[in-house]
Amino acid sequence: MSFVTRALSVAAAAVLATSLAAAPAQAIEISPPGANDWSCKPTAEHPYPVILVPGTFESMEKNWSTLSPYLKSAGYCVFALNYGETNGVYATAPVAESAQELAPFVDAVRAATGAKKVDLVGHSQGGMMPRYYLGFLGGAKYVRQLIGIAPSSHGTEGVIVPPPGFVQDPDFTGLGCAACADQQAGSAFMQELNSIGDTVAGPSYTVISTVYDEVVIPYNSQFLNGPARQVSNITIQDKCPADVFEHDQTPNDAVVHQIVAHALGNPSGPADPAYQPACF
């Protein structure tokens, strides 16, 4: 572990006490450590606020419990949201409707921080849904970069089910997961999303995938098509062959943390595909 990585890990522990925060003019929700400090002002070194977008069935608190404090300790203004609630379960509503919830959150972050643009980091559905915001809701002008961690970019040929530890009724009766249907490969939503291409002009895109993904399969369906100046597709095991992280836990992978931080620190364009993180 490098000195910088060790220092960030130590500093991250210092922000674990700040796990409750209120968004402006909204009900109090449980934020991940380091996120949703609405008084945070971006610095010259880190001028773009980072918004963390969780995946299907996930809350912001659970999905970003490690990456949020890691980025906060690195000096970023970090924000996160819950969205798409159906029957008390987050990120299960139709994806297009969830994108309409992301839009005002981006506006609120921009207003609070004074930043003209934000960076988006999303896991699974959270790495795909913002593309609807960028391409269909006018969000491209407000986003500098979208970083997708195991995103369902083109849907999955598998079945989306809650991750281990999910506390809802195990037969999922009455769950009404429209987002699960939307994320099936070939769905009407996926056809609409990708009808304009994988990217739109303006933002950069970084995709981080694992060969051990058992949810969004095949794993390379997560990759986006686009010129190298705009798109980087990175497979974790190409960087660290012994890394066995799978879909649900990729946001907690120290290797993923490093790649995300590298991408966010790139002043223009996506992550450098030649970047080599420290392997653990």
Side-chain angles (χ1 to χ4, degrees):
M1 181 183 297
S2 70
F3 173 80
V4 173
T5 301
R6 185 180 299 109
L8 290 178
S9 298
V10 172
V15 298
L16 289 177
T18 60
S19 59
L20 285 177
Q26 296 176 358
I28 294 177
E29 295 186 288
I30 301 177
S31 299
N36 294 336
D37 174 4
W38 293 89
S39 66
C40 186
K41 298 300 181 183
T43 63
E45 184 179 5
H46 302 303
Y48 301 100
V50 178
I51 297 177
L52 304 176
V53 188
T56 310
F57 305 117
E58 297 281 11
S59 69
M60 59 177 170
E61 177 194 19
K62 177 180 178 295
N63 216 166
W64 304 115
S65 61
T66 61
L67 183 58
S68 177
Y70 178 86
L71 295 177
K72 180 68 172 181
S73 67
Y76 289 93
C77 290
V78 181
F79 298 87
L81 76 159
N82 293 320
Y83 66 88
E85 180 182 342
T86 304
N87 297 327
V89 184
Y90 292 123
T92 52
V95 178
E97 293 182 8
S98 292
Q100 294 176 15
E101 295 183 42
L102 175 62
F105 192 84
V106 171
D107 292 343
V109 169
R110 291 174 54 246
T113 61
K116 293 182 179 180
K117 294 186 178 183
V118 303
D119 286 328
L120 302 176
V121 180
H123 174 231
S124 194
Q125 180 189 166
M128 171 275 294
M129 176 269 280
R131 290 178 48 225
Y132 193 91
Y133 165 63
L134 299 180
F136 293 88
L137 302 179
K141 58 182 173 290
Y142 302 129
V143 175
R144 184 186 71 112
Q145 181 171 194
L146 169 61
I147 301 172
I149 302 171
S152 50
S153 304
H154 300 97
T156 178
E157 295 180 7
V159 178
I160 297 176
V161 297
F166 189 75
V167 296
Q168 298 293 318
D169 185 346
D171 66 3
F172 316 129
T173 55
L175 187 59
C177 184
C180 300
D182 283 348
Q183 290 175 92
Q184 294 302 306
S187 71
F189 172 79
M190 280 295 161
Q191 293 181 52
E192 179 187 12
L193 175 67
N194 294 304
S195 66
I196 59 173
D198 287 1
T199 65
V200 295
S204 297
Y205 300 78
T206 296
V207 174
I208 306 169
S209 302
T210 173
V211 300
Y212 298 108
D213 200 309
E214 80 291 11
V215 175
V216 180
I217 56 177
Y219 78 90
N220 55 8
S221 69
Q222 300 169 17
F223 296 160
L224 298 175
N225 294 315
R229 68 179 182 277
Q230 187 182 23
V231 177
S232 286
N233 295 304
I234 297 174
T235 302
I236 295 170
Q237 288 73 28
D238 286 344
K239 303 297 180 181
C240 298
D243 191 320
V244 295
F245 273 72
E246 38 65 60
H247 182 86
D248 181 55
Q249 290 301 311
T250 45
N252 298 318
D253 185 358
V255 172
V256 171
H257 291 183
Q258 294 173 75
I259 297 172
V260 169
H262 162 72
L264 292 173
N266 195 347
S268 61
D272 181 352
Y275 169 73
Q276 178 58 53
C279 300
F280 300 94

